[in-house]
Amino acid sequence: MYRLAKGLTDAFSRRFARAVRETYREDEAYASTPLGRLALGVFLLLLLLLPFLLSPYPMYVATLVAIGALSAMGLHLLVGGAGQISLGHAAFMGVGAYTASHLYGPLAPLGILLGGVIAAFLGLILGLPSLRIKGVYLAIATLAFQFLADYVFKNWEAVTGGIRGRTLPPAELFGLSLDTPERLWYLVLLFALPLFLFAKRLLMTRAGRAFMAVRDNDLSARVAGVDLVRVKLLAFALSAFYAGVAGGLLAQLYKAVTPEYFPLSVSIQYLAMVIVGGAGTVLGAVLGAFFVLLIPEVLNSLVGALGPQYAATLAAWRNVVFGLLILIFLILEPLGLVGLWGRIRSYFRTWPLPY
Protein backbone atom coordinates (compact mmCIF):
# COMPACT_ATOMS: atom_id res chain seq x y z
CA MET A 1 0.00 0.00 0.00
CA TYR A 2 2.86 2.36 0.86
CA ARG A 3 4.57 1.63 -2.48
CA LEU A 4 1.31 2.22 -4.35
CA ALA A 5 0.71 5.56 -2.59
CA LYS A 6 4.30 6.64 -3.21
CA GLY A 7 4.07 5.71 -6.89
CA LEU A 8 0.82 7.61 -7.37
CA THR A 9 2.22 10.68 -5.60
CA ASP A 10 5.39 10.66 -7.71
CA ALA A 11 3.38 10.26 -10.92
CA PHE A 12 1.13 13.16 -9.92
CA SER A 13 4.13 15.36 -9.14
CA ARG A 14 5.83 14.58 -12.46
CA ARG A 15 2.72 15.49 -14.44
CA PHE A 16 1.17 18.38 -12.58
CA ALA A 17 3.53 19.95 -10.05
CA ARG A 18 6.24 22.46 -10.84
CA ALA A 19 9.36 20.68 -12.09
CA VAL A 20 12.67 21.32 -10.39
CA ARG A 21 14.85 23.05 -12.97
CA GLU A 22 18.44 21.92 -12.70
CA THR A 23 19.98 23.45 -15.86
CA TYR A 24 19.81 26.78 -17.63
CA ARG A 25 18.21 25.03 -20.63
CA GLU A 26 15.35 23.80 -18.45
CA ASP A 27 15.05 27.25 -16.89
CA GLU A 28 14.60 28.80 -20.35
CA ALA A 29 11.76 26.42 -21.35
CA TYR A 30 8.35 28.00 -21.96
CA ALA A 31 6.57 25.24 -19.98
CA SER A 32 8.27 22.77 -17.64
CA THR A 33 5.49 20.20 -17.15
CA PRO A 34 3.34 18.16 -19.57
CA LEU A 35 0.25 19.94 -18.26
CA GLY A 36 1.93 23.30 -18.83
CA ARG A 37 2.83 22.39 -22.41
CA LEU A 38 -0.73 21.19 -23.03
CA ALA A 39 -2.15 24.43 -21.62
CA LEU A 40 0.22 26.47 -23.81
CA GLY A 41 -0.85 24.52 -26.92
CA VAL A 42 -4.56 24.96 -26.13
CA PHE A 43 -4.04 28.67 -25.50
CA LEU A 44 -2.30 29.15 -28.87
CA LEU A 45 -5.05 27.20 -30.65
CA LEU A 46 -7.67 29.34 -28.92
CA LEU A 47 -5.93 32.49 -30.14
CA LEU A 48 -6.09 31.23 -33.74
CA LEU A 49 -9.80 30.38 -33.45
CA LEU A 50 -10.82 33.55 -31.59
CA PRO A 51 -12.31 35.37 -34.65
CA PHE A 52 -14.70 32.41 -35.13
CA LEU A 53 -15.81 32.55 -31.47
CA LEU A 54 -16.45 36.27 -30.91
CA SER A 55 -18.85 38.74 -32.49
CA PRO A 56 -17.44 41.91 -34.17
CA TYR A 57 -17.37 44.30 -31.19
CA PRO A 58 -15.78 41.86 -28.66
CA MET A 59 -13.30 40.98 -31.41
CA TYR A 60 -12.47 44.68 -31.82
CA VAL A 61 -11.90 44.97 -28.05
CA ALA A 62 -9.78 41.79 -28.06
CA THR A 63 -7.61 43.21 -30.87
CA LEU A 64 -7.23 46.48 -28.97
CA VAL A 65 -6.23 44.61 -25.79
CA ALA A 66 -3.69 42.48 -27.71
CA ILE A 67 -2.06 45.60 -29.17
CA GLY A 68 -2.08 47.25 -25.73
CA ALA A 69 -0.51 44.15 -24.17
CA LEU A 70 2.24 44.18 -26.81
CA SER A 71 3.07 47.81 -26.07
CA ALA A 72 2.88 47.19 -22.31
CA MET A 73 5.29 44.27 -22.74
CA GLY A 74 7.92 46.71 -24.00
CA LEU A 75 7.46 48.92 -20.95
CA HIS A 76 7.64 45.83 -18.73
CA LEU A 77 11.07 45.01 -20.14
CA LEU A 78 12.24 48.55 -19.38
CA VAL A 79 10.58 49.19 -16.00
CA GLY A 80 10.17 45.73 -14.50
CA GLY A 81 13.16 44.18 -16.26
CA ALA A 82 15.93 46.79 -16.25
CA GLY A 83 14.51 49.10 -13.54
CA GLN A 84 14.46 52.21 -15.75
CA ILE A 85 11.56 54.65 -16.08
CA SER A 86 9.93 56.20 -19.13
CA LEU A 87 7.10 58.68 -19.52
CA GLY A 88 7.51 58.80 -23.31
CA HIS A 89 6.08 55.42 -24.24
CA ALA A 90 3.15 56.93 -26.15
CA ALA A 91 5.58 58.99 -28.23
CA PHE A 92 7.28 55.80 -29.44
CA MET A 93 3.88 54.37 -30.35
CA GLY A 94 3.21 57.56 -32.32
CA VAL A 95 6.49 57.18 -34.20
CA GLY A 96 5.52 53.65 -35.18
CA ALA A 97 1.99 54.68 -36.16
CA TYR A 98 3.07 57.60 -38.35
CA THR A 99 5.74 55.46 -40.02
CA ALA A 100 3.19 52.73 -40.75
CA SER A 101 0.78 55.30 -42.18
CA HIS A 102 3.22 55.89 -45.09
CA LEU A 103 3.51 52.19 -45.98
CA TYR A 104 0.00 50.80 -46.33
CA GLY A 105 -1.85 48.14 -48.26
CA PRO A 106 0.48 45.21 -49.15
CA LEU A 107 3.40 47.11 -47.58
CA ALA A 108 1.66 47.36 -44.18
CA PRO A 109 3.74 44.59 -42.47
CA LEU A 110 6.92 46.29 -43.69
CA GLY A 111 5.65 49.66 -42.43
CA ILE A 112 4.86 48.22 -38.98
CA LEU A 113 8.31 46.63 -38.76
CA LEU A 114 10.03 49.82 -39.98
CA GLY A 115 8.07 51.82 -37.39
CA GLY A 116 9.47 49.56 -34.69
CA VAL A 117 13.02 49.96 -36.00
CA ILE A 118 12.81 53.78 -36.14
CA ALA A 119 11.27 53.87 -32.66
CA ALA A 120 14.08 51.59 -31.39
CA PHE A 121 16.67 53.99 -32.82
CA LEU A 122 15.02 56.93 -31.05
CA GLY A 123 14.80 54.82 -27.88
CA LEU A 124 18.53 54.23 -28.11
CA ILE A 125 19.08 58.00 -28.16
CA LEU A 126 16.61 58.55 -25.31
CA GLY A 127 18.46 55.93 -23.29
CA LEU A 128 21.66 57.99 -23.27
CA PRO A 129 20.57 60.13 -20.28
CA SER A 130 20.03 56.92 -18.27
CA LEU A 131 23.83 56.47 -18.24
CA ARG A 132 24.21 59.54 -16.01
CA ILE A 133 20.88 60.06 -14.27
CA LYS A 134 18.14 57.82 -12.89
CA GLY A 135 14.90 57.89 -10.96
CA VAL A 136 12.81 61.02 -11.13
CA TYR A 137 15.49 62.87 -13.14
CA LEU A 138 15.31 60.23 -15.86
CA ALA A 139 11.52 60.43 -15.77
CA ILE A 140 11.69 64.19 -16.46
CA ALA A 141 14.08 63.56 -19.39
CA THR A 142 11.65 61.07 -20.96
CA LEU A 143 8.78 63.48 -20.26
CA ALA A 144 10.62 66.10 -22.30
CA PHE A 145 10.80 63.61 -25.18
CA GLN A 146 7.04 63.09 -24.93
CA PHE A 147 6.40 66.85 -25.20
CA LEU A 148 8.87 67.17 -28.08
CA ALA A 149 7.24 64.31 -29.97
CA ASP A 150 3.80 65.82 -29.39
CA TYR A 151 5.01 69.11 -30.90
CA VAL A 152 6.46 67.30 -33.93
CA PHE A 153 3.26 65.28 -34.45
CA LYS A 154 1.20 68.48 -34.54
CA ASN A 155 3.49 70.67 -36.61
CA TRP A 156 5.46 68.51 -39.09
CA GLU A 157 2.52 68.48 -41.52
CA ALA A 158 4.48 67.05 -44.47
CA VAL A 159 4.98 63.78 -42.54
CA THR A 160 2.26 63.67 -39.88
CA GLY A 161 -0.56 65.65 -41.47
CA GLY A 162 -0.59 68.10 -38.53
CA ILE A 163 -3.62 68.33 -36.28
CA ARG A 164 -5.83 66.54 -38.81
CA GLY A 165 -3.49 63.55 -38.92
CA ARG A 166 -3.36 60.91 -41.62
CA THR A 167 -5.74 58.24 -42.86
CA LEU A 168 -4.70 54.98 -44.45
CA PRO A 169 -6.47 52.19 -46.37
CA PRO A 170 -6.81 48.69 -44.86
CA ALA A 171 -3.71 46.56 -44.69
CA GLU A 172 -3.33 43.56 -47.00
CA LEU A 173 -1.74 40.20 -46.26
CA PHE A 174 -1.17 37.68 -49.08
CA GLY A 175 -3.67 39.61 -51.22
CA LEU A 176 -6.40 39.55 -48.54
CA SER A 177 -7.71 42.92 -47.36
CA LEU A 178 -7.60 43.17 -43.53
CA ASP A 179 -10.57 45.55 -43.34
CA THR A 180 -12.19 44.05 -40.22
CA PRO A 181 -10.88 43.38 -36.69
CA GLU A 182 -11.39 39.64 -37.30
CA ARG A 183 -8.97 39.67 -40.23
CA LEU A 184 -6.60 42.18 -38.65
CA TRP A 185 -6.32 39.85 -35.64
CA TYR A 186 -4.04 37.54 -37.61
CA LEU A 187 -1.71 40.41 -38.52
CA VAL A 188 -1.58 41.31 -34.82
CA LEU A 189 -0.75 37.68 -33.97
CA LEU A 190 1.95 37.65 -36.65
CA PHE A 191 3.82 40.34 -34.73
CA ALA A 192 2.63 39.77 -31.16
CA LEU A 193 3.29 36.05 -30.74
CA PRO A 194 7.00 36.09 -31.73
CA LEU A 195 7.58 39.23 -29.66
CA PHE A 196 5.87 37.77 -26.58
CA LEU A 197 7.81 34.51 -26.88
CA PHE A 198 11.02 36.48 -27.33
CA ALA A 199 10.31 38.57 -24.22
CA LYS A 200 9.46 35.46 -22.20
CA ARG A 201 12.71 33.80 -23.17
CA LEU A 202 14.77 36.97 -22.78
CA LEU A 203 13.80 37.37 -19.13
CA MET A 204 15.02 33.82 -18.40
CA THR A 205 18.35 34.04 -20.21
CA ARG A 206 21.70 35.61 -19.34
CA ALA A 207 20.61 38.93 -20.88
CA GLY A 208 17.46 38.95 -18.75
CA ARG A 209 19.44 38.24 -15.61
CA ALA A 210 21.73 41.17 -16.50
CA PHE A 211 18.59 43.35 -16.80
CA MET A 212 17.46 42.28 -13.33
CA ALA A 213 20.89 42.84 -11.84
CA VAL A 214 20.83 46.45 -13.10
CA ARG A 215 17.29 46.83 -11.80
CA ASP A 216 18.17 45.65 -8.30
CA ASN A 217 21.44 47.58 -7.91
CA ASP A 218 23.36 48.99 -10.85
CA LEU A 219 26.53 49.54 -8.79
CA SER A 220 26.60 45.90 -7.68
CA ALA A 221 25.86 44.82 -11.26
CA ARG A 222 28.86 46.80 -12.51
CA VAL A 223 31.09 45.21 -9.86
CA ALA A 224 29.81 41.79 -10.99
CA GLY A 225 30.90 42.53 -14.56
CA VAL A 226 27.61 43.64 -16.16
CA ASP A 227 28.06 46.19 -18.96
CA LEU A 228 25.70 48.94 -17.75
CA VAL A 229 25.89 50.97 -20.97
CA ARG A 230 24.88 48.05 -23.17
CA VAL A 231 22.14 46.81 -20.83
CA LYS A 232 20.47 50.20 -20.34
CA LEU A 233 20.60 51.19 -24.01
CA LEU A 234 19.35 47.74 -25.05
CA ALA A 235 16.44 48.00 -22.62
CA PHE A 236 15.39 51.40 -23.99
CA ALA A 237 15.75 50.23 -27.61
CA LEU A 238 13.73 47.04 -27.00
CA SER A 239 11.01 48.92 -25.15
CA ALA A 240 10.73 51.48 -27.96
CA PHE A 241 10.68 48.72 -30.61
CA TYR A 242 7.71 47.02 -28.95
CA ALA A 243 5.93 50.38 -28.67
CA GLY A 244 6.65 51.24 -32.32
CA VAL A 245 5.27 47.92 -33.58
CA ALA A 246 2.19 48.33 -31.37
CA GLY A 247 1.69 51.87 -32.70
CA GLY A 248 1.83 50.58 -36.28
CA LEU A 249 -0.78 47.91 -35.51
CA LEU A 250 -2.95 50.51 -33.78
CA ALA A 251 -2.83 52.67 -36.93
CA GLN A 252 -4.04 49.66 -38.95
CA LEU A 253 -6.89 49.09 -36.49
CA TYR A 254 -8.04 52.74 -36.42
CA LYS A 255 -7.15 53.33 -40.10
CA ALA A 256 -6.16 56.83 -39.01
CA VAL A 257 -3.38 58.49 -37.02
CA THR A 258 -3.78 61.79 -35.16
CA PRO A 259 -1.79 63.40 -32.30
CA GLU A 260 -4.77 62.83 -29.95
CA TYR A 261 -4.03 59.11 -29.94
CA PHE A 262 -0.60 59.55 -28.28
CA PRO A 263 -0.72 62.18 -25.50
CA LEU A 264 1.01 62.01 -22.10
CA SER A 265 -2.09 60.40 -20.54
CA VAL A 266 -1.52 57.33 -22.75
CA SER A 267 2.05 56.99 -21.41
CA ILE A 268 0.68 57.12 -17.87
CA GLN A 269 -1.97 54.56 -18.82
CA TYR A 270 0.74 52.12 -19.88
CA LEU A 271 2.64 52.69 -16.65
CA ALA A 272 -0.61 51.79 -14.87
CA MET A 273 -0.72 48.54 -16.88
CA VAL A 274 2.80 47.69 -15.66
CA ILE A 275 1.97 48.38 -12.02
CA VAL A 276 -1.47 46.72 -12.01
CA GLY A 277 -0.30 43.69 -13.97
CA GLY A 278 2.90 43.10 -12.00
CA ALA A 279 6.19 44.48 -13.25
CA GLY A 280 8.73 42.37 -15.10
CA THR A 281 6.62 39.45 -16.34
CA VAL A 282 4.97 38.57 -19.64
CA LEU A 283 1.79 37.53 -17.88
CA GLY A 284 1.75 40.88 -16.07
CA ALA A 285 1.73 42.75 -19.40
CA VAL A 286 -1.26 40.75 -20.63
CA LEU A 287 -3.23 40.95 -17.37
CA GLY A 288 -2.46 44.66 -16.94
CA ALA A 289 -3.67 45.42 -20.47
CA PHE A 290 -6.83 43.41 -19.82
CA PHE A 291 -7.54 45.31 -16.61
CA VAL A 292 -6.80 48.84 -17.85
CA LEU A 293 -8.40 48.50 -21.31
CA LEU A 294 -11.24 46.10 -20.56
CA ILE A 295 -12.66 47.60 -17.34
CA PRO A 296 -13.59 50.95 -19.04
CA GLU A 297 -15.39 48.98 -21.78
CA VAL A 298 -17.31 47.01 -19.13
CA LEU A 299 -18.22 50.25 -17.30
CA ASN A 300 -19.35 51.76 -20.63
CA SER A 301 -21.62 48.78 -21.19
CA LEU A 302 -23.08 49.12 -17.68
CA VAL A 303 -23.75 52.83 -18.19
CA GLY A 304 -25.34 52.10 -21.58
CA ALA A 305 -27.53 49.40 -20.06
CA LEU A 306 -29.01 51.92 -17.59
CA GLY A 307 -30.37 54.03 -20.44
CA PRO A 308 -29.30 57.08 -22.49
CA GLN A 309 -30.84 59.51 -19.95
CA TYR A 310 -28.13 58.53 -17.41
CA ALA A 311 -25.21 58.49 -19.83
CA ALA A 312 -24.13 62.15 -19.33
CA THR A 313 -24.48 61.96 -15.53
CA LEU A 314 -22.62 58.71 -15.14
CA ALA A 315 -19.87 59.43 -17.69
CA ALA A 316 -17.73 61.29 -15.12
CA TRP A 317 -18.47 58.75 -12.38
CA ARG A 318 -17.22 56.01 -14.70
CA ASN A 319 -13.69 57.47 -14.52
CA VAL A 320 -13.99 57.86 -10.73
CA VAL A 321 -15.01 54.20 -10.35
CA PHE A 322 -12.12 53.12 -12.60
CA GLY A 323 -9.62 55.11 -10.51
CA LEU A 324 -11.02 53.70 -7.27
CA LEU A 325 -10.78 50.16 -8.63
CA ILE A 326 -7.08 50.65 -9.37
CA LEU A 327 -6.43 52.14 -5.91
CA ILE A 328 -8.32 49.41 -4.07
CA PHE A 329 -6.62 46.72 -6.09
CA LEU A 330 -3.11 48.06 -5.45
CA ILE A 331 -3.79 48.42 -1.71
CA LEU A 332 -5.05 44.84 -1.44
CA GLU A 333 -2.57 43.30 -3.90
CA PRO A 334 0.67 45.36 -4.23
CA LEU A 335 2.31 42.69 -6.43
CA GLY A 336 -0.36 43.19 -9.05
CA LEU A 337 -2.47 40.63 -10.86
CA VAL A 338 0.56 38.36 -11.24
CA GLY A 339 0.88 38.15 -7.44
CA LEU A 340 -2.81 37.27 -7.15
CA TRP A 341 -2.47 34.59 -9.84
CA GLY A 342 0.62 33.16 -8.10
CA ARG A 343 -1.22 32.78 -4.82
CA ILE A 344 -4.15 31.06 -6.56
CA ARG A 345 -1.76 28.63 -8.29
CA SER A 346 0.07 27.90 -5.04
CA TYR A 347 -3.20 27.16 -3.30
CA PHE A 348 -4.29 24.57 -5.87
CA ARG A 349 -0.77 23.12 -6.21
CA THR A 350 -0.55 22.35 -2.49
CA TRP A 351 -4.23 21.54 -1.91
CA PRO A 352 -5.39 19.85 0.32
CA LEU A 353 -2.18 20.26 2.38
CA PRO A 354 -1.36 23.99 2.17
CA TYR A 355 1.28 23.72 4.92
Side-chain angles (χ1 to χ4, degrees), residues 324-345:
L324 285 175
L325 282 175
I326 292 179
L327 281 176
I328 293 172
F329 181 81
L330 290 180
I331 291 171
L332 297 179
E333 187 54 71
L335 296 179
L337 290 165
V338 168
L340 181 62
W341 171 243
R343 287 199 285 115
I344 292 173
R345 279 203 317 173

Side-chain angles (χ1 to χ4, degrees), residues 4-318:
L4 176 62
K6 183 176 182 303
L8 291 174
T9 304
D10 291 345
F12 179 85
S13 298
R14 282 194 298 273
R15 286 190 174 276
F16 300 109
R18 176 179 291 175
V20 177
R21 299 168 178 173
E22 299 176 343
T23 64
Y24 283 124
R25 189 179 183 85
E26 292 175 352
D27 197 32
E28 294 168 3
Y30 293 113
S32 57
T33 64
L35 184 62
R37 287 189 283 274
L38 176 64
L40 180 62
V42 171
F43 177 69
L44 293 177
L45 181 62
L46 186 64
L47 288 180
L48 292 175
L49 298 178
L50 201 61
F52 302 99
L53 304 175
L54 297 180
S55 55
Y57 182 69
M59 194 62 230
Y60 169 81
V61 175
T63 307
L64 190 63
V65 170
I67 296 173
L70 180 62
S71 184
M73 188 65 247
L75 201 56
H76 268 272
L77 291 176
L78 182 69
V79 178
Q84 307 301 303
I85 188 71
S86 174
L87 293 177
H89 204 63
F92 292 121
M93 293 183 67
V95 170
Y98 279 110
T99 304
S101 71
H102 289 273
L103 294 171
Y104 42 79
L107 298 178
L110 178 62
I112 295 168
L113 188 61
L114 184 62
V117 172
I118 294 177
F121 176 72
L122 294 176
L124 203 64
I125 297 174
L126 185 64
L128 292 175
S130 69
L131 305 179
R132 298 184 63 87
I133 58 178
K134 58 184 178 180
V136 67
Y137 299 99
L138 181 59
I140 296 301
T142 58
L143 182 63
F145 174 74
Q146 173 69 45
F147 288 146
L148 180 63
D150 188 58
Y151 177 83
V152 172
F153 292 160
K154 291 179 179 174
N155 293 280
W156 197 7
E157 295 193 3
V159 176
T160 65
I163 298 294
R164 292 173 299 177
R166 292 177 55 83
T167 58
L168 60 161
E172 294 181 17
L173 191 63
F174 303 121
L176 179 65
S177 177
L178 307 180
D179 53 353
T180 63
E182 292 88 344
R183 294 180 176 181
L184 188 63
W185 173 255
Y186 292 104
L187 182 64
V188 174
L189 287 186
L190 182 66
F191 284 95
L193 280 181
L195 288 176
F196 271 112
L197 293 176
F198 173 77
K200 175 74 173 172
R201 193 173 184 84
L202 176 71
L203 291 172
M204 296 183 294
T205 59
R206 183 177 180 179
R209 285 187 278 274
F211 275 27
M212 295 173 195
V214 173
R215 177 196 64 190
D216 294 339
N217 191 316
D218 54 356
L219 184 59
S220 299
R222 174 181 289 179
V223 172
V226 175
D227 188 343
L228 292 187
V229 175
R230 188 173 64 177
V231 169
K232 288 185 176 181
L233 293 185
L234 180 63
F236 270 95
L238 271 178
S239 173
F241 179 79
Y242 275 71
V245 170
L249 291 171
L250 200 63
Q252 302 298 335
L253 179 64
Y254 291 156
K255 298 181 179 58
V257 187
T258 67
E260 285 78 14
Y261 292 158
F262 310 105
L264 175 62
S265 59
V266 173
S267 292
I268 297 173
Q269 187 181 42
Y270 278 96
L271 270 179
M273 289 183 197
V274 172
I275 296 170
V276 170
T281 60
V282 174
L283 184 61
V286 177
L287 295 180
F290 261 101
F291 187 90
V292 174
L293 295 177
L294 201 59
I295 292 296
E297 296 295 333
V298 173
L299 292 176
N300 279 338
S301 301
L302 292 177
V303 170
L306 293 176
Q309 66 273 23
Y310 299 105
T313 307
L314 296 177
W317 284 101
R318 181 192 58 198

